[in-house]
Amino acid sequence: MSNETTKQTANQFLNRSQAAEFLSLQKSTLEAWAIRGGGPAFVKFGRAVRYRISDLENYIKNQTRQNTIEA
């Protein structure tokens, strides 16, 4: 895969249901995080909520822990 293709894929948007599936979570979990704060970054286009694949991947990276003591 070329760098250009990788950049295009990373900047693709998923709706909340697709993002939840990408993260193996319930859609309601993402909804709760959006209300309370926390969770992956998202973009709003009017009333539409979208998640960049690159933001979801960054969220996963930032949640990675080596042990249960790490907060």
Side-chain angles (χ1 to χ4, degrees):
M1 191 180 289
S2 73
N3 272 350
E4 190 60 35
T5 303
T6 302
K7 287 178 188 176
Q8 289 173 348
T9 301
N11 287 315
Q12 285 183 329
F13 291 96
L14 302 178
N15 64 33
R16 188 166 278 154
S17 294
Q18 293 167 322
E21 185 175 332
F22 184 89
L23 295 172
S24 299
L25 297 171
Q26 295 293 315
K27 180 181 169 187
S28 60
T29 300
L30 289 180
E31 290 168 345
W33 286 346
I35 293 167
R36 288 193 326 250
F42 59 91
V43 179
K44 287 196 73 173
F45 299 108
R47 292 174 29 182
V49 173
R50 298 293 182 263
Y51 295 83
R52 279 188 196 97
I53 292 174
S54 59
D55 289 334
L56 296 173
E57 291 171 338
N58 284 334
Y59 180 76
I60 292 167
K61 180 181 172 187
N62 292 332
Q63 299 308 305
T64 302
R65 304 290 186 262
Q66 296 297 318
N67 56 59
T68 58
I69 296 172
E70 295 181 46

